């Protein structure tokens, strides 16, 4: 029960049990107790939850989010694969395997076995190359996560924009220094009426220096205007791309897509390359516009990862068995909170 509530070391659990029940049990006894009885406890909880799910008539919707995450346990890398119902939030399958076992064939095996004998309509994933072929083979529609697609764009666009912004700041700072230098030169050589005499080399030299500085300031201002225009141009194209994925209908989404595709050769390189890539998978990006049950992002399964095995926990576990136990207990907690409690409340309200 302690493990289900939060992570605690065996030392902490030992102190908790001894303080609570006025005992003097060793850490080793606590470890052996949990090792022996955890599987039975988890099995009993699973059976209890399955009965409640059956009673509430919660069935797989056919729409599922799928993703993987990497977990390091005692210097070894493991891969966690999870399939979750996009409508009911029910965890369909959740596995942790050594990285050496993880490949395209295992993904297909996992998805095939997970969706066997249940309703299957659409699977939502990120943009991994192997997914389209696998999902087509198992007979499902494929929706690509639009959040990840935008992330791919921003990975290239943000550095470009930030570089231009830094250049603008540098040019502004340079101009401030040049303007200060001009004022300094003016103070050293006050202006007189008319042109200085040819013999007044000092005054002529002062004026030439100020002219040169003024010219450099103007050139910098022109560069600033140019950089600002580039930033504005890229930002406007980014917003048009966002509109593709925010559109509620396929017609509207394709309208925004063609606004960019029809002038492909005129687009900035970053936007042009993005649209070329998007063209190859635009159909899988917009499945959500044809069916309201299809989410446009894979955020639900990523939320499952963060809630059931957050980063601070990943770095703690030293054994595969311990990590598995924690994941299973947190999965049960997820189902109780997100499905059973909410379903019961909804039935009560009805």
């Amino acid at each position: 029960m302690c493990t289900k509530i939060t992570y605690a070391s065996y030392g902490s659990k030992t102190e908790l049990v001894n303080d609570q029940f006025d005992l003097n049990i060793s850490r080793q006894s606590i470890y052996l107790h949990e090792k022996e009885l955890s599987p039975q406890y988890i099995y009993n909880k699973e059976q209890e939850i399955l009965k409640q799910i059956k009673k509430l008539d919660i069935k797989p919707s056919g729409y599922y989010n799928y993703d993987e995450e990497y977990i390091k346990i005692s210097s070894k890398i493991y891969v966690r694969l999870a399939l979750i119902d996009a409508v009911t939030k029910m965890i369909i399958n959740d596995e942790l395997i050594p990285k050496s076992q993880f490949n395209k064939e295992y993904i297909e095996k996992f998805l095939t076995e997970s969706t066997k004998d249940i309703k299957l309509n659409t699977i939502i994933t990120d943009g991994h190359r192997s997914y389209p072929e696998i999902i087509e083979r198992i007979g499902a529609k494929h929706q690509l996560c639009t959040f990840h697609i935008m992330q791919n764009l921003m990975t290239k666009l943000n550095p470009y924009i930030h570089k231009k912004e830094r250049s603008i700041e540098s040019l502004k700072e340079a101009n401030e220094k040049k303007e200060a230098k001009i004022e300094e030169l003016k103070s050293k050589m006050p202006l007189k009426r008319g042109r200085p005499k040819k013999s007044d080399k000092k005054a002529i030299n002062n004026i030439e220096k100020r002219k040169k500085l003024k010219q450099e300031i103007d050139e910098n201002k022109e560069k600033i205007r140019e950089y600002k225009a580039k930033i504005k141009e890229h930002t406007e194209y980014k917003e048009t791309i966002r509109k593709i994925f925010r559109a509620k209908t396929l017609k509207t989404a394709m309208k925004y897509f063609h606004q960019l595709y029809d002038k492909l050769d005129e687009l900035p390189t970053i936007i042009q390359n993005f649209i070329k890539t998007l063209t190859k998978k635009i159909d899988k990006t917009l499945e959500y516009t044809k069916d309201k049950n299809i989410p446009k992002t894979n955020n639900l399964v990523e939320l499952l990862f963060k809630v059931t095995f957050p980063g601070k926990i990943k770095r703690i576990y030293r054994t595969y068995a311990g990590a598995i136990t924690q994941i299973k207990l947190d999965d049960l907690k997820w189902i109780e909170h997100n499905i059973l409690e909410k379903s019961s409340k909804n039935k009560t309200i009805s």
Side-chain angles (χ1 to χ4, degrees):
M1 288 301 295
C2 178
T3 303
K4 190 180 175 189
I5 294 165
T6 184
Y7 168 79
S9 66
Y10 285 111
S12 298
K13 290 175 187 177
T14 304
E15 288 179 17
L16 180 68
V17 171
N18 287 336
D19 290 346
Q20 183 73 24
F21 300 103
D22 193 23
L23 299 170
N24 190 25
I25 298 173
S26 70
R27 178 188 173 282
Q28 184 68 12
S29 294
I30 293 289
Y31 166 74
L32 293 171
H33 171 89
E34 186 169 310
K35 184 180 179 182
E36 184 178 339
L37 297 182
S38 281
Q40 187 61 47
Y41 174 84
I42 290 169
Y43 175 79
N44 291 342
K45 288 298 293 182
E46 285 174 344
Q47 294 308 304
E48 181 187 322
I49 284 172
L50 285 170
K51 285 180 184 177
Q52 292 181 65
I53 289 168
K54 190 174 181 180
K55 186 178 178 181
L56 291 165
D57 197 29
I58 300 168
K59 296 177 181 176
S61 68
Y63 302 89
Y64 310 110
N65 290 88
Y66 167 77
D67 205 358
E68 310 111 9
E69 69 167 347
Y70 289 86
I71 297 172
K72 192 174 184 179
I73 304 170
S74 293
S75 302
K76 293 181 181 178
I77 305 298
Y78 291 82
V79 183
R80 182 183 179 190
L81 302 85
L83 189 73
I84 183 169
D85 195 305
V87 178
T88 67
K89 297 184 181 178
M90 178 64 68
I91 298 167
I92 305 300
N93 200 358
D94 195 349
E95 285 187 13
L96 186 65
I97 61 169
K99 186 176 181 289
S100 57
Q101 291 182 22
F102 181 69
N103 53 33
K104 183 178 174 181
E105 288 71 30
Y106 197 92
I107 295 172
E108 184 167 352
K109 177 176 175 283
F110 175 85
L111 291 175
T112 303
E113 291 179 357
S114 300
T115 56
K116 187 180 179 182
D117 301 326
I118 64 171
K119 193 175 179 182
L120 178 59
N121 184 295
T122 304
I123 296 176
I124 303 93
T125 72
D126 60 26
H128 196 285
R129 293 177 186 174
S130 63
Y131 295 154
E133 184 184 343
I134 292 169
I135 292 170
E136 185 179 347
R137 273 203 298 270
I138 67 173
K141 294 176 189 173
H142 186 198
Q143 167 66 44
L144 286 168
C145 175
T146 59
F147 175 78
H148 280 92
I149 292 171
M150 282 303 298
Q151 256 191 339
N152 292 339
L153 171 63
M154 300 313 294
T155 298
K156 293 183 174 64
L157 192 57
N158 279 341
Y160 174 86
I161 289 175
H162 292 159
K163 186 178 179 181
K164 289 283 183 280
E165 288 172 340
R166 287 194 299 272
S167 296
I168 288 170
E169 289 305 311
S170 296
L171 290 167
K172 283 181 177 179
E173 287 174 11
N175 278 358
E176 286 175 6
K177 290 178 182 178
K178 291 178 192 298
E179 285 166 358
K181 185 66 178 175
I182 288 172
E183 292 303 316
E184 183 187 333
L185 289 168
K186 281 182 180 179
S187 66
K188 288 181 179 178
M189 191 65 62
L191 288 173
K192 296 178 182 179
R193 287 187 179 182
R195 295 181 180 177
K197 294 178 181 179
K198 289 183 180 180
S199 59
D200 193 350
K201 301 292 184 182
K202 195 173 182 180
I204 291 171
N205 186 43
N206 186 294
I207 290 169
E208 288 301 317
K209 282 182 179 179
R210 288 180 353 229
K211 278 184 179 178
K212 186 181 178 183
L213 286 167
K214 182 65 173 67
Q215 184 180 352
E216 288 172 356
I217 288 169
D218 289 341
E219 287 172 358
N220 284 350
K221 283 181 178 179
E222 181 58 36
K223 285 181 183 177
I224 289 170
R225 282 192 289 271
E226 179 188 331
Y227 292 158
K228 282 183 175 180
K230 289 287 184 186
I231 291 171
K232 184 181 178 184
E233 178 189 35
H234 282 74
T235 302
E236 286 175 352
Y237 282 131
K238 178 191 74 176
E239 290 308 311
T240 302
I241 291 167
R242 282 194 193 280
K243 287 177 183 178
I244 297 172
F245 306 134
R246 287 175 179 166
K248 293 182 179 179
T249 67
L250 181 61
K251 183 179 178 181
T252 304
M254 292 306 294
K255 180 188 79 172
Y256 290 122
F257 173 75
H258 281 293
Q259 281 182 13
L260 300 171
Y261 183 77
D262 291 346
K263 56 176 183 179
L264 193 62
D265 294 337
E266 302 169 29
L267 300 176
T269 304
I270 292 172
I271 305 298
Q272 186 182 106
N273 291 339
F274 176 82
I275 293 298
K276 283 179 180 177
T277 303
L278 182 61
T279 302
K280 300 172 186 176
K281 52 190 177 185
I282 189 66
D283 55 333
K284 290 179 176 60
T285 305
L286 300 175
E287 282 290 343
Y288 78 91
T289 61
K290 306 169 190 175
D291 186 340
K292 66 178 182 179
N293 287 318
I294 301 175
K296 64 174 79 172
T297 73
N298 216 23
N299 294 348
L300 183 61
V301 72
E302 292 187 356
L303 178 63
L304 172 72
F305 288 154
K306 287 178 184 176
V307 170
T308 58
F309 210 64
K312 60 182 181 180
I313 295 295
K314 285 183 194 177
R315 295 185 289 272
I316 292 170
Y317 279 90
R318 297 179 183 177
T319 67
Y320 172 81
I324 283 286
T325 297
Q326 186 69 52
I327 289 171
K328 285 183 176 180
L329 287 169
D330 283 340
D331 280 358
L332 292 172
K333 190 163 63 175
W334 168 281
I335 293 169
E336 286 175 329
H337 176 70
N338 290 290
I339 297 126
L340 300 181
E341 288 177 16
K342 290 183 179 178
S343 295
S344 297
K345 283 178 185 177
N346 291 339
K347 288 216 168 191
T348 302
I349 293 167
S350 299

